[in-house]
Amino acid sequence: MNPIKKNLLLLSGLCFFMVMARILKTDQFSFLFLFWNLFLAFVPYWLSTYITKQNTMSLYKLIVVSVVWILFLPNAPYMITDLFHLHKRANLPIWFDLVLIMSFAITGLYLFYLSINQMVGVVKLKLPQLYKPFVLVLLFVAVSYGVYIGRFLRVNSWDVIHPIGLAKTCLKPLFHLPGLKDVCCFTFIFSIFLAFLYLIFKPVIKSNSYDV
């Protein structure tokens, strides 16, 4: 088993163990939604893996799959915002829920940077003229905005099937000063956060990215 698959298996196993332990301790199923969030975080990784394994893919198909990839990509770092669910509970220490949520958040970030690394490789190979550092910056900004509208506006990736309603929801805070300030601050700071982590973990991910 290659390092990437091994790491994903270990991280997913940790997530499963923490949730099951919580259920046994509290007899509550309130954190099961994290598994759905984790599944959505895996989708962009599966899509980028699919693309990298295609020896021959038409430009049209590559564009279509890449667009779907971009739509689902914010779901991976989105899991960090599940920390908003962290608060004191009568029958469980808060540190347990902290470790539980961080297990999912770290797995989501790992999937995010794995997928980014794969797509960078695809662009360098098939569309080298498009690969520029600012493209990554724009991607981090778009993902950060996606996280914002997902967490605060409750927009989902599949809402794209209603493009007009989705556009209205996404653009609404941009035309109201209080909302504009909030979305700009969040998007800017979260983009810097994602970019810095990318620079830090890029060498580690690249060194283990064979046979994904």
Side-chain angles (χ1 to χ4, degrees), residues 2-4 7 110 114 203-212:
N2 67 59
I4 296 297
N7 291 341
Y110 188 58
L114 284 176
V204 178
I205 292 176
K206 287 188 68 175
S207 66
N208 293 287
S209 293
Y210 54 85
D211 297 330
V212 176

Side-chain angles (χ1 to χ4, degrees), residues 13-209:
L14 175 62
C15 294
F16 179 81
F17 170 79
M18 293 299 296
V19 172
M20 292 302 104
R22 191 181 193 282
I23 292 175
L24 291 175
K25 172 67 176 177
T26 64
D27 291 325
Q28 297 177 354
F29 300 90
S30 53
F31 274 34
L32 283 178
F33 72 90
L34 290 173
F35 285 121
W36 174 247
N37 289 352
L38 184 61
F39 168 78
L40 293 177
F42 264 97
V43 171
Y45 170 71
W46 288 332
L47 290 173
S48 60
T49 300
Y50 169 76
I51 293 175
T52 58
K53 289 185 176 181
Q54 300 302 304
N55 295 324
T56 58
M57 177 182 287
S58 66
L59 181 60
Y60 173 77
K61 185 176 181 180
L62 176 61
I63 292 174
V64 171
V65 178
S66 297
V67 169
V68 177
W69 173 77
I70 291 175
L71 290 174
F72 278 89
L73 189 59
N75 289 303
Y78 171 88
M79 299 195 72
I80 301 174
T81 67
D82 285 325
L83 285 167
F84 288 175
H85 297 284
L86 185 66
H87 57 82
K88 291 184 178 180
R89 303 173 192 273
N91 54 351
L92 199 70
I94 194 171
W95 59 260
F96 185 92
D97 282 348
L98 174 63
V99 174
L100 187 156
I101 297 173
M102 284 302 299
S103 298
F104 281 86
I106 291 172
T107 305
L109 281 176
Y110 188 58
L111 288 164
F112 176 70
Y113 290 116
L114 284 176
S115 191
I116 289 288
N117 185 62
Q118 288 180 328
M119 291 302 288
V120 166
V122 170
V123 172
K124 284 183 176 180
L125 180 63
K126 299 186 177 182
L127 301 168
Q129 68 277 13
L130 291 182
Y131 179 70
K132 302 290 182 182
F134 75 86
V135 174
L136 272 178
V137 173
L138 292 177
L139 181 62
F140 289 139
V141 171
V143 167
S144 298
Y145 184 66
V147 173
Y148 177 87
I149 63 176
R151 170 53 65 186
F152 299 104
L153 303 185
R154 310 308 298 165
V155 171
N156 297 304
S157 300
W158 51 86
D159 287 336
V160 70
I161 61 176
H162 304 292
I164 297 179
L166 177 62
K168 289 181 179 179
T169 301
C170 293
L171 294 176
K172 184 177 179 179
L174 301 181
F175 293 94
H176 296 80
L177 187 58
L180 178 61
K181 181 180 179 180
D182 188 49
V183 68
C184 287
C185 288
F186 178 91
T187 301
F188 176 72
I189 294 175
F190 206 78
S191 299
I192 293 177
F193 170 73
L194 292 178
F196 267 87
L197 286 186
Y198 175 76
L199 293 175
I200 291 172
F201 292 115
K202 180 181 177 181
V204 178
I205 292 176
K206 287 188 68 175
S207 66
N208 293 287
S209 293

